[in-house]
């Protein structure tokens, strides 16, 4: 696939089919995330946590109960980005790079993706969610990306204009 075809496919998905994504596709997406550029090449400071199945359903249920809405848009999988980086600014920039690589990989597989800061914020605020996930305490969840099969037709049409200010 040409890069332009890929970035034209890359859109935020707000509706997913109720279908699990195959493990090899999740691994492809995770691999793309771990090949993203991060500051100081400190890959050891990041964990990508693929949450699915029973744990996913439990965490999403806790979030839905507290938030009053389903932040997953019907997805069956979220990949959470954790960091133990002491620099919040660098960690957040790295998380953005990691997530964009994963979103592009999802698009390459004709899957949808949704960047979600709120899922991370809600997990971080929930002791119950943190106990379910059991991530080492020195790591903090920064963000997440939901992935899945698209249930939204024609996400490639975008009405936009580009203006150059001189």
């Amino acid at each position: 696939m040409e890069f332009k075809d890929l970035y034209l496919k890359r859109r935020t998905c707000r509706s997913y089919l109720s279908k699990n994504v195959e493990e090899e596709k999740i691994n492809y997406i995770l691999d793309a995330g771990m090949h993203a550029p991060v500051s100081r090449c400190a890959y050891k400071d990041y964990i990508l946590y693929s949450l699915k199945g029973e744990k996913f359903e439990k965490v999403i249920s806790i979030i839905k109960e507290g938030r009053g809405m389903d932040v997953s848009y019907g997805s069956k999988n979220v990949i959470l980005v954790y960091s133990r980086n002491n620099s919040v600014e660098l960690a957040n920039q790295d998380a953005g790079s990691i997530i964009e690589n994963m979103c592009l990989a999802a698009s390459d597989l004709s899957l949808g993706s949704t960047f979600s800061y709120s899922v991370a914020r809600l997990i971080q605020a929930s002791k119950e969610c943190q106990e379910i996930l059991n991530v080492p305490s020195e790591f903090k969840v920064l963000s997440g990306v939901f992935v899945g099969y698209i249930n939204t037709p024609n996400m490639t049409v975008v009405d936009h204009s580009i203006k150059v200010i001189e």
Side-chain angles (χ1 to χ4, degrees):
M1 173 182 308
E2 294 291 322
F3 182 67
K4 184 172 183 174
D5 296 330
L6 178 60
Y7 76 69
L8 289 174
K9 286 175 64 175
R10 166 68 183 103
R11 298 285 178 256
T12 296
C13 183
R14 294 287 192 232
S15 180
Y16 293 94
L17 297 174
S18 183
K19 179 180 175 183
N20 291 319
V21 176
E22 297 83 356
E23 198 67 29
E24 64 272 6
K25 291 182 179 183
I26 295 298
N27 287 334
Y28 178 79
I29 294 167
L30 291 168
D31 188 57
M34 287 313 298
H35 279 90
V38 298
S39 58
R40 303 179 319 272
C41 289
Y43 294 98
K44 66 185 180 339
D45 289 339
Y46 295 91
I47 294 174
L48 300 183
Y49 191 125
S50 176
L51 184 59
K52 60 185 180 180
E54 197 174 304
K55 281 187 177 182
F56 174 85
E57 297 299 333
K58 181 68 175 162
V59 167
I60 293 301
S61 173
I62 293 166
I63 290 171
K64 187 175 183 179
E65 187 177 301
R67 180 88 189 269
M69 68 176 281
D70 181 6
V71 297
S72 73
Y73 302 100
S75 171
K76 297 290 181 191
N77 186 275
V78 65
I79 300 170
L80 302 170
V81 178
Y82 282 84
S83 172
R84 66 175 169 198
N85 190 332
N86 291 330
S87 168
V88 173
E89 292 82 9
L90 290 178
N92 286 331
Q93 290 175 26
D94 290 348
S97 179
I98 291 166
I99 284 178
E100 188 57 22
N101 261 28
M102 291 192 297
C103 290
L104 287 167
S107 295
D108 187 40
L109 296 170
S110 296
L111 296 171
S113 61
T114 309
F115 162 79
S116 178
Y117 171 69
S118 62
V119 72
R121 182 177 48 81
L122 294 165
I123 287 171
Q124 192 66 32
S126 168
K127 187 166 180 65
E128 187 177 5
C129 286
Q130 290 180 37
E131 287 173 0
I132 290 168
L133 298 173
N134 195 30
V135 172
S137 61
E138 69 267 21
F139 285 88
K140 178 184 175 193
V141 63
L142 299 175
S143 198
V145 60
F146 290 97
V147 295
Y149 288 93
I150 300 168
N151 191 27
T152 306
N154 198 4
M155 291 184 0
T156 60
V157 177
V158 177
D159 184 21
H160 71 282
S161 63
I162 298 172
K163 294 182 181 180
V164 177
I165 300 173
E166 295 181 33

